[in-house]
Amino acid sequence: MCQNSIDAKPAGFDYTGRSLEMSLLRRYLIRAAQELRHNPKARAKASQVLEEDVKPRAKQAWREAQPKIENAKLGLKHFAQRVRDEYRKGRDGKSA
């Protein structure tokens, strides 16, 4: 396929348009789910890791992200208000 072709796909994509990395990740997740379904010992270990490691880290990350989220929310509200005010000025003929 010619590199200048409109139909050329970027490196890392298969013929369906999905990235190869996502396809690989999907296969790994399916394989892990099959292993957990058939192996009670692996299922117990996964449950333990989830409860003792993943959940506490996720909760801590969420707590740490809250101030940044609130700050972004306020900034977006202020930006939207400025845009709204400028739009209204232009609509009402008040701008130069």
Side-chain angles (χ1 to χ4, degrees):
M1 180 179 287
C2 176
Q3 287 297 327
N4 295 330
S5 170
I6 293 174
D7 296 327
K9 302 231 186 294
F13 278 79
D14 63 10
Y15 65 93
T16 62
R18 292 186 309 226
S19 71
L20 293 175
E21 293 83 8
M22 290 305 292
S23 295
L24 183 63
L25 179 60
R26 182 171 183 253
R27 284 194 301 257
Y28 282 143
L29 288 174
I30 289 170
R31 179 66 186 116
Q34 290 170 343
E35 180 68 23
L36 291 174
R37 184 178 68 209
H38 294 298
N39 188 339
K41 192 174 181 181
R43 205 169 34 243
K45 179 64 176 175
S47 179
Q48 177 187 359
V49 168
L50 178 68
E51 293 297 326
E52 295 176 1
D53 188 34
V54 176
K55 280 186 179 180
R57 287 184 6 209
K59 287 178 182 178
Q60 180 64 29
W62 180 251
R63 282 191 297 271
E64 291 173 3
Q66 286 306 302
K68 294 176 186 174
I69 292 170
E70 282 301 315
N71 190 23
K73 181 179 166 183
L74 288 174
L76 187 56
K77 280 185 178 181
H78 291 179
F79 173 74
Q81 183 64 45
R82 287 193 313 269
V83 168
R84 189 178 311 117
D85 293 345
E86 288 297 317
Y87 170 76
R88 287 181 179 156
K89 277 197 274 185
R91 183 184 65 187
D92 296 336
K94 295 179 184 175
S95 67

